[in-house]
Amino acid sequence: QVCPGLRTPQVPIWLCSLCGRHGVLFSTNSLLLSYWRAERLFQLHFYNGQQEQSQPTHLTIDTHSHHWEKDQSEDASDPGKRHSPVEMAIRTRWAGATVSWNGTEPFF
């Protein structure tokens, strides 16, 4: 039998399988579970336990960014302009959100 704390976590947590590797996205903000306004601008932490992750990764998610603020010359087919699998996983929950890696080089 699963304990109630595991069925209803105190903080939001997502287990991810990205490109054949597993990782955890989580937030320490419990308001993300119950207060929709907390989803405007918030922090997520990403951990995958791989060697390329040399420091904690803190992502800033902005769900109210505007499509016209993006660079209009971006070409999604250009390999240098593609989004990381972590960002795409985040966008399955918050479509159109912008993800800032806060100075960390996207390693996934």
Side-chain angles (χ1 to χ4, degrees), residues 22-71:
H22 296 84
V24 177
L25 273 169
F26 65 96
S27 175
T28 56
N29 183 358
S30 62
L31 288 177
L32 282 176
L33 293 171
S34 60
Y35 187 57
W36 63 272
R37 289 186 186 204
E39 292 186 357
R40 163 65 172 93
L41 184 67
F42 57 95
Q43 298 279 320
L44 286 180
H45 306 276
F46 179 68
Y47 178 75
N48 72 350
Q50 300 294 320
Q51 290 179 350
E52 63 266 13
Q53 185 173 6
S54 60
Q55 59 186 0
T57 304
H58 302 279
L59 307 171
T60 301
I61 314 303
D62 184 356
T63 60
H64 288 2
S65 60
H66 303 289
H67 67 277
W68 57 82
E69 293 174 347
K70 293 180 187 175
D71 182 4

